[in-house]
């Protein structure tokens, strides 16, 4: 029973609160806020004074809401209260400060019979559940984006997200969807509260594509850094580190390595949470006699590696056959893992690298089917007409003899240009005619030619005297052939494909824009085509891809499209001409043979019979195909096998010296055979090859996918939140119409409530949908998913108890639920030793005065308005014993937390033990080496003609620093190994009654 009441005290009791105006015979007469006088028995269990602020009390003041952490008595004035605000600030406020009033904790509100509308209670609970949805072992990115995600990609993301440190080299083969995997990891880290600042570093040609894909597929906007944007920022805020302006940045590595950008990156005090570096094999550092030689791109990697928690390197060619280069790349991820290049092994790479190849037979889906269809490469042979053969021989003779002999510049330049001419000769009749015309236009002097030229060239008569005369006749001969045999062979193939299936798509590659124009205007004039070439910007490329997907039959592309385009909706590719660098051929194929491809990829190579270029390329590609089949990899093998092969020189030598094709082919065959063993060693001894073959571990990933689909936040949850907030606070969903997907939901226009709009949240969203199928079908629709700005803003708004309330309510339970009782929602989780939240989730605990304790699903059937609460005696009964019930519910919540922490503790200890072993071995190696050097220095220092004091002092200082670094790293590992249960936080609670019984 509460005692010690005095007139003037502020008191709270079941049913209200107010100020004591009289005390007599065990009764308090209380003036309530409504102006009425209530008589309250002093024996009432829930009667209490609320005007006295003590440690732990919740108070409201002019600066907001705070908790009293201490009070200081003062003789000549009111007590001084020390308050901790909701933002974590410490403030000192006099106890009689204007606006200082006792705050109502959730328990106080229930005890005094203050209830909110059930819909507000539900909003607060739903917002809390949505906000914590990611902080568990589930994947919301499986449903909150516009992409189809494969199990092997979830496997990669799961390995990174559950690792002790999320720092990995993802070395999947080209076309396996590394961008998608990185996107999943980023989004999961952000949503789990483990990341905010993200930096994506890409090759220059892929920057805009990364920006677009993160926006289109994950709804995340990244700011592209370039010189114009950076200079404008510096002008607006001079002196500020440029990398602190934006939290989500995408930048090309060649811009990031520029002096001013790299300096700011190296001196950045605000760390990144996630850094992704695409095509990471360009971060090159090599051992030399003068130490380690680092390229500027590597320095970018160094700058970010020390200043981020999560670090992802993406590359389709993780190892280029140079062990020291691979070692220095790995050191950026983990400086303590390997003592040197020779220490690298598949076993030590297992928790640092992920690598899968498409051709691996273990790459199967949940139904046991191959995840990637095969690819079939065949030749479309072309036979030249006698007229074309004579012209080919003439042009080859001109290129190798007359042109080279008459060029007065350096021989290297002449050789380079000779290669270009020869390649354009085999590309198309139009390309070589244009080159010859350009040469003719550039001739400034009348260079004489030998008198026997007419006998050496079929298309040149004996009237010619100068190179210009020769060119005029060769150009005329070329222009006399409007469409050559190669063009006719292509036209025949395209028509045949489209006759069999008019909806078919063909991707057609050429190296040269004028060949592209020739194919468009002359060869395929009657076919609907689109084109992509180097002169087009990103927007124009997107438009071309869209037209190709919708109604064009053929896409004409130069090698500007060999990287960065995803065209897996097509499956037929034609190489009209082949680059003399076979690595580029595989890059071309990768536009179709990639993640999302559902059909066999068919590649056709046009080869002109009896030309040295075609013969050598065809022989080489056949040999590489054999190696790929043997080793079971494709994108890796081309770069490694041909690492030291100058194919252009081989071909031009064959042409100039008129060597037999067999002779050149034999030389190339020997080179390839020699390199094959090196490739095999790299693959088997130095790299790992992960499999997804439905083993027990892989089945666990499928279980996670199934559990995520069942337990994760659904589209209906998001829709409920948005619709309810709109209904409660003035928003609207209007112009509802059917969506584009056959079995999808509606499309609508969303008018955002005033309290929600502002900042990154627009006033309205036209053409919106809650349905992922609609969003995938029509990328222009606004996908209102969990991570959409309007949903995030609504969640934050609903968790603000001052704005929405929802802390208490009266609910009704089903007939199978023991009533009356108390339903509590707790935020539970655990921390690492550094104080970082590792995981959190929302749990509901139901307890009754009769001893029932229940978690999981609670059968709630509805709710009662606050005005009806006094009509149910059971509500008062629960309120009177709410303190005891809350304590019991907290005990149940603590048990849930302990179970979570115990499960996590075992995993973290195992990961920490592995990292501790790596760290100890690394430092042991370094310390032993340095101590041996110090011993040698000390021995030399005893010699009369040696003075090693300076060298010894430096080495001993290095030894001390090394030991300090070791101790600090081991201490950090020990600290992070800890798993500390976090105190459960009460979100809201409700008295639950049986409406029928009462």
């Amino acid at each position: 029973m509460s005692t010690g009441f005095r007139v003037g005290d502020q008191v709270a009791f079941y049913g209200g609160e107010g100020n004591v105006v009289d005390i007599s015979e065990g009764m308090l007469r209380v003036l309530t806020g409504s102006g009425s006088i209530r008589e309250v028995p002093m024996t009432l269990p829930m009667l209490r004074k609320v005007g006295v602020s003590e440690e732990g009390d919740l108070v409201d003041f002019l600066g907001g809401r705070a908790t009293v952490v201490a009070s200081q008595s003062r003789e000549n004035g009111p007590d001084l209260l020390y308050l901790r605000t909701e933002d974590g600030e410490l403030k000192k406020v006099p106890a009689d400060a204007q606006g200082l009033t006792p705050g109502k904790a959730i328990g106080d509100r229930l005890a005094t019979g203050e209830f909110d509308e059930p819909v507000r209670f539900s909003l607060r609970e739903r917002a809390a559940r949505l906000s914590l949805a990611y902080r568990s072992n589930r994947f919301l990115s499986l449903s909150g984006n516009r992409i189809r995600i494969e199990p092997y990609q979830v496997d990669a993301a799961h390995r990174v997200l559950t690792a002790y440190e999320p720092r990995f080299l993802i070395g999947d083969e080209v076309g396996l969807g590394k961008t998608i995997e990185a996107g999943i990891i980023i989004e999961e880290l952000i949503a789990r509260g483990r990341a905010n600042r993200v930096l994506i570093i890409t090759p220059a040609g892929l920057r805009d594509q990364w920006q677009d894909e993160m926006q289109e597929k994950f709804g995340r906007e990244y700011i592209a850094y370039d010189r114009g944007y950076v200079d404008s920022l510096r002008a607006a805020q001079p002196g500020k580190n440029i990398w602190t302006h934006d939290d989500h940045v995408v930048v090309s590595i060649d811009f990031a390595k520029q002096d001013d950008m790299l300096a700011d990156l190296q001196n950045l005090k605000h760390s990144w949470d996630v850094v992704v570096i695409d095509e990471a094999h360009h971060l090159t550092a090599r051992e030399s006699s003068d130490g380690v030689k680092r390229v500027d791109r590597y320095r970018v990697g160094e700058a970010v590696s020390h200043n981020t928690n999560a670090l992802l390197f993406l590359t389709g060619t993780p190892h280029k056959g140079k062990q020291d280069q691979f070692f220095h790349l790995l050191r950026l991820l983990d400086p303590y893992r390997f003592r040197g290049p020779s220490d690298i092994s598949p076993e030590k790479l297992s928790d640092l690298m992920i690598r899968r190849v498409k051709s691996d037979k273990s790459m199967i889906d949940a139904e046991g089917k191959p995840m990637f269809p095969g690819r079939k490469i065949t030749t479309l042979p072309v036979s030249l007409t006698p007229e074309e053969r004579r012209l080919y021989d003439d042009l080859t003779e001109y290129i190798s003899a007359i042109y080279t002999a008459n060029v007065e510049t350096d021989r290297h330049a002449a050789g380079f240009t000779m290669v270009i001419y020869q390649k354009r000769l085999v590309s198309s009749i139009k390309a070589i005619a244009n080159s010859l015309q350009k040469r003719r236009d550039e001739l400034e002097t009348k260079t004489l030619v030998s008198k026997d030229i007419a006998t050496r060239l079929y298309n040149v008569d004996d009237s010619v005297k100068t190179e210009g005369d020769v060119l005029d006749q060769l150009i005329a001969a070329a222009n006399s052939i409007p469409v050559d045999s190669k063009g006719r062979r292509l036209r025949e193939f395209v028509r045949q494909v489209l006759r069999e299936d008019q909806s078919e798509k063909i991707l057609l590659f050429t190296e040269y824009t004028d060949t592209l124009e020739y194919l468009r205007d002359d060869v395929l004039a009657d076919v609907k085509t689109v084109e992509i070439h180097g002169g087009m910007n990103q927007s124009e490329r997107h438009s071309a891809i869209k037209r190709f997907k919708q109604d064009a039959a053929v896409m004409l592309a130069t090698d500007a499209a060999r990287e960065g385009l995803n065209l897996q909706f097509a499956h037929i590719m034609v190489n009209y001409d082949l680059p003399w660098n076979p690595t580029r051929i595989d890059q071309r194929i990768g536009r179709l043979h990639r993640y999302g491809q559902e059909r066999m990829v068919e590649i056709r190579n046009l080869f002109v019979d009896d030309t040295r270029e075609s013969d050598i390329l065809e022989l080489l590609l056949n040999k590489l195909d054999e190696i790929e089949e043997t080793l079971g990899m494709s994108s890796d093998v081309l770069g490694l096998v041909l690492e030291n092969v100058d194919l252009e020189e081989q071909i031009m030598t064959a042409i100039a010296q008129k060597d037999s094709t067999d002779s050149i082919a034999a030389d190339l065959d020997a080179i390839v055979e020699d390199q094959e063993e090196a490739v095999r060693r790299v693959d088997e001894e130095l790299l790992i090859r992960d499999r997804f073959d439905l083993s027990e571990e892989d089945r666990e990933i499928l279980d996670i996918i199934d559990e995520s689909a069942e337990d994760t936040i659904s589209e209906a949850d998001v829709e409920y939140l948005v619709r309810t907030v709109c209904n409660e606070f003035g928003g609207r969903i209007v112009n509802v119409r059917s969506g584009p997907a056959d079995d999808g939901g509606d499309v609508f226009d969303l008018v955002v409530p005033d309290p929600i709009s502002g900042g990154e949240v627009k006033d309205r969203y036209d053409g919106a949908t809650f349905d992922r199928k609609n969003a995938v079908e029509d990328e222009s629709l606004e996908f209102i998913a969990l991570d959409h700005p309007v949903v995030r803003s609504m969640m934050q708004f609903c968790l603000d108890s001052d704005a929405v309330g929802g802390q208490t309510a009266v609910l009704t339970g089903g007939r199978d639920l023991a009533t009356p009782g108390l339903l509590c929602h707790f935020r539970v989780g655990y921390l690492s030793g550094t104080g970082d939240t590792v995981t959190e989730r929302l749990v509901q605990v139901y307890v009754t005065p009769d001893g029932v304790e229940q978690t999981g699903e609670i059968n709630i059937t509805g709710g009662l308005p606050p005005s009806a609460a006094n009509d149910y005696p059971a509500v008062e009964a629960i309120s009177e014993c709410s303190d005891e019930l809350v304590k019991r519910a907290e005990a149940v919540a603590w048990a849930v937390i302990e179970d979570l922490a115990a499960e996590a503790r075992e995993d973290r200890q195992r990961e920490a033990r592995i990292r501790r072993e790596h760290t100890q071995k690394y430092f042991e190696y370094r310390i032993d080496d340095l101590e041996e050097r110090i011993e040698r220095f000390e021995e030399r220092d005893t010699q009369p003609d040696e003075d090693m004091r300076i060298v010894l002092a430096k080495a001993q200082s290095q030894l001390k620093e090394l030991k300090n670094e070791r101790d600090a790293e081991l201490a950090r590992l020990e600290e992070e190994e800890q798993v500390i249960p976090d105190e459960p936080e009460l979100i809201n609670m409700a008295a639950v009654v049986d409406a029928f019984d009462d």
Side-chain angles (χ1 to χ4, degrees), residues 88-131:
E89 296 183 54
L90 190 65
K91 293 185 178 292
K92 291 185 290 185
V93 178
D96 62 351
Q98 182 180 1
L100 182 68
T101 59
K104 287 291 186 65
I106 297 175
D108 291 335
R109 290 175 58 83
L110 188 80
T112 58
E114 296 181 48
F115 299 108
D116 297 312
E117 293 287 348
V119 67
R120 299 296 181 90
F121 180 89
S122 180
L123 267 180
R124 183 171 172 82
E125 179 271 334
R126 192 68 58 98
R129 191 176 299 280
L130 287 170
S131 70

Side-chain angles (χ1 to χ4, degrees), residues 567-667:
L567 305 171
Q568 53 268 53
F569 54 84
H571 76 109
I572 299 176
M573 189 186 89
V574 176
N575 287 308
Y576 191 73
D577 48 44
L578 284 165
W580 290 4
N581 179 347
T583 303
R584 291 186 178 181
I585 300 173
D586 200 66
Q587 290 171 338
R588 288 179 176 186
I589 296 171
R591 299 312 94 212
L592 305 185
H593 194 230
R594 61 189 303 105
Y595 160 72
Q597 180 59 258
E598 298 179 349
R599 294 181 288 177
M600 170 75 75
V601 175
E602 299 180 22
I603 299 102
R604 301 289 191 272
N605 296 324
L606 275 92
F607 283 123
V608 178
D609 293 338
D610 298 326
T611 62
R612 289 183 176 84
E613 306 95 324
S614 293
D615 290 346
I616 293 171
L617 278 172
E618 188 170 18
L619 287 167
L620 180 64
L621 290 178
N622 288 338
K623 184 63 181 176
L624 290 175
D625 204 38
E626 291 176 17
I627 297 176
E628 290 176 17
E629 182 68 26
T630 302
L631 298 181
M633 56 178 168
S634 55
S635 54
D636 296 79
V637 75
L638 289 167
L640 288 171
V641 170
L642 299 175
E643 180 72 19
N644 300 309
V645 179
D646 190 337
L647 194 59
E648 290 184 351
E649 182 178 352
Q650 295 281 344
I651 293 175
M652 291 309 298
T653 298
I655 293 170
Q657 297 180 359
K658 296 183 173 57
D659 290 347
S660 70
T661 300
D662 291 342
S663 173
I664 296 296
D667 292 341

Side-chain angles (χ1 to χ4, degrees), residues 14 48 85 196 239 280 320 347 570 975:
Y14 178 73
R48 70 186 74 180
T85 70
N196 180 42
K320 302 291 287 182
E347 292 74 23
E975 186 178 36

Side-chain angles (χ1 to χ4, degrees), residues 744-861:
D746 292 330
V747 173
F748 53 86
D749 300 337
L750 173 62
V751 181
V752 179
D754 288 340
I756 305 298
S757 62
E760 64 174 343
V761 180
K762 300 176 183 178
D763 293 337
R764 66 181 290 146
Y765 294 92
D766 293 331
T769 185
F770 296 115
D771 192 286
R772 181 174 178 267
K773 294 176 182 175
N774 285 336
V776 172
E777 188 71 23
D778 184 353
E779 292 186 355
S780 68
L781 292 177
E782 191 78 26
F783 186 24
I784 309 296
L786 180 64
D787 207 35
H788 192 281
V790 75
V791 179
R792 294 200 305 268
S793 182
M794 286 181 174
M795 286 191 292
Q796 185 177 356
F797 178 72
C798 291
L799 290 173
D800 182 349
S801 57
D802 290 334
V804 177
Q807 294 175 304
T808 59
V810 179
L811 305 179
T812 59
R815 292 193 179 278
D816 60 340
L817 184 67
T819 56
L822 183 69
L823 174 64
C824 298
H825 290 114
F826 289 99
R827 188 196 306 259
V828 302
Y830 57 88
L831 310 173
S832 70
T834 58
D836 296 327
T837 299
V838 178
T839 191
E840 287 182 299
R841 65 180 59 174
L842 194 75
V843 299
Q844 52 184 1
V845 180
Y846 182 69
V847 293
T848 72
D850 298 333
V852 172
E853 294 177 353
Q854 184 177 341
T855 59
E857 292 298 321
I858 310 297
N859 186 10
I860 301 298
T861 59

